[in-house]
Amino acid sequence: MSENLYDLLSGGFPADRSAPCFLLTGGGEVSYGALEQAAAEIAGRFIAEGVKPGDRIAMQVEKSIEAVMIYLATLKAGAVFLPLNSAYTPSEVEYFINDAEPRLFIQDAQAFAAGSRGAPPLEKAVARTADDLASIIYTSGTTGRSKGAMLSHGNLSANAKALHRAWGFSSSDVLLHALPIFHVHGLFVAMHCAFLSGCPMVWLPKFVDEDVIDGLRRSTVMMGVPTFYTRLLANDAFTREAASNMRLFISGSAPLLPGTFADFEARTGKRILERYGMSEAVIITSNPLEGDRIAGSVGYPLPGVDLRIGGGQETGVIEIRGPSMFGGYWRMPEKTAEEFTKDGYFITGDVGRQDPDGRVWISGRAKDLIISGGYNVYPKEIELVLDAMPGVVESAVIGLPHPDFGEGVAAIVIGAGEESAMIAACREQLAAFKTPKRIVFVKDLPRNAMGKVQKALLRTEYTNLFKG
Ligand code: AMP
């Protein structure tokens, strides 16, 4: 029996294919039937052009419905989908193309979809096993070479089913989709939940506050990165009433500040459900749909996920194993071997701890760990203290070269305040070695497209802070 992900996803499409899949701003809609037909025609064109199972199809385009059609067509044709961030420059793209050697590279989704119209449709998805490759997702790493995480049909099917169940999706849901679709969050996590339940998506090309607030009135679930939530809260038109139709707000891809969680609950009466994932394993843990959603915790491992803390201490690097775990990095067997333990756990690089009942807390990336005067400093602990201070919107704590301590603790803070008074206030709550030696006030922090603060860029920018 084929285990092509396409069959699982299309199996969730509504029986009445005239039902909407995409609800557009301004009132238009595109049906599930239209999506299915276009995917079949594009897949037919792929086959006619000689695309073979396992061939890569790369695409660098702006978000569009045609891009989704091409994604589904790629699965259906048994090829491997390789989405590229639309912000990548030509020289960055060149690296991915040389590395992945795609059969096709699509840069205009609309033209490609239009040019496939009338091609003999591929009626039946090409047979694939669970282990066959479905997609390669290049990690957004800012240092070293970007690595292509290889996700199989089985990996993505398992995660889609687990999330659909965990978050209680049904055909009566309407998903607000404002995420990019070159990343696992918008591409797999969000869309697969919609497809499996055959529900419509309020389809927004990007996050624009007014469009999102408007869209929430006709939606029931939204998935977002933390910056979506801070941007909504900064808009006065985002009221309790504007969110009243919503049953679920989900956040991930970067840490949700406890302050955002609290402000959101105060404004809307709803508790954001935070979950944790990565390109290499899609979603790993989630706060519960029923039960306590706790600010600052990413919840419990999904069913079937084995999670443990490496290193034998209470806090350490999170290691995971499970059905959605990727098969390795594309053409990097040594790198792959380095990042797995002997007993098959993936070493995530995220530092965290786990309560006896299984609940997981993340305290940052291992590479962001600061070693000052021989002591380990976990930035998150200091960030939580700073974020609770008046005048602080958000903070990023980093280690910078220091003549005495090797690394010195520095805080880059969005907000305003008096540096020495704030350092003294930190010292009341933190040991001296953890207390920032300098605080720099800024208007904003550098972030990538998914809202992740780019600490490597901060370390470069402030590298001379302790050098006199
Ligand atoms: P990516 O592969 O680009 O999706 O990045 C994955 C990384 O994002 C993880 O390894 C974490 O460091 C981070 N991440 C994702 N979700 C969360 C979360 N809820 N809290 C903290 N970090 C997160």
Side-chain angles (χ1 to χ4, degrees), residues 4-6 9 38-47 51-59 66-83 102-104 106 112 122 124-128 133-136 153 187-188:
N4 191 319
L5 170 66
Y6 180 86
L9 299 177
E41 288 171 355
I42 298 167
R45 172 172 172 189
F46 286 154
I47 303 284
V51 170
K52 298 276 179 294
D55 280 353
R56 277 76 59 206
I57 294 181
M59 182 162 76
E66 289 81 1
V68 180
M69 293 167 170
I70 293 169
Y71 164 55
L72 290 178
T74 304
L75 295 176
K76 193 168 192 187
V80 178
F81 189 63
L82 166 44
R103 175 100 196 183
L104 289 175
I106 299 171
F112 195 88
L122 179 70
K124 202 168 172 324
V126 170
R128 299 276 74 196
L133 205 49
S135 183
I136 298 176
H153 287 265
L187 180 63
F188 302 142

Side-chain angles (χ1 to χ4, degrees), residues 140 183-184 251-256 274-280 298 348 350 362 365 452:
S140 54
H183 182 270
V184 290
S251 176
S253 290
L256 181 73
E274 186 174 11
R275 92 308 180 272
Y276 158 61
M278 58 188 56
S279 305
E280 290 89 343
V298 294
T348 62
D350 291 312
I362 295 177
R365 298 283 301 163
K452 282 192 241 290

Side-chain angles (χ1 to χ4, degrees), residues 92 95-96 139-147 332 335 367 456:
E92 287 168 319
Y95 163 75
F96 297 114
T139 55
S140 54
T142 46
T143 49
R145 286 174 64 205
S146 187
K147 297 165 283 181
M332 285 188 178
K335 192 83 207 151
K367 62 179 194 301

Side-chain angles (χ1 to χ4, degrees), residues 403-459:
D404 289 339
F405 301 106
E407 281 187 303
V409 178
I412 316 299
V413 166
I414 305 181
E418 208 282 304
E419 185 181 0
S420 54
M422 205 176 266
I423 291 175
C426 284
R427 181 66 184 90
E428 285 173 19
Q429 296 181 57
L430 296 167
F433 73 93
K434 295 181 191 171
T435 302
K437 296 183 172 32
R438 288 294 309 272
I439 298 180
V440 179
F441 297 95
V442 294
K443 288 219 157 41
D444 219 338
L445 292 166
R447 292 174 207 274
N448 72 4
M450 303 309 291
K452 282 192 241 290
V453 174
Q454 304 290 282
K455 288 194 170 176
L457 294 181
L458 289 175
R459 284 191 288 264

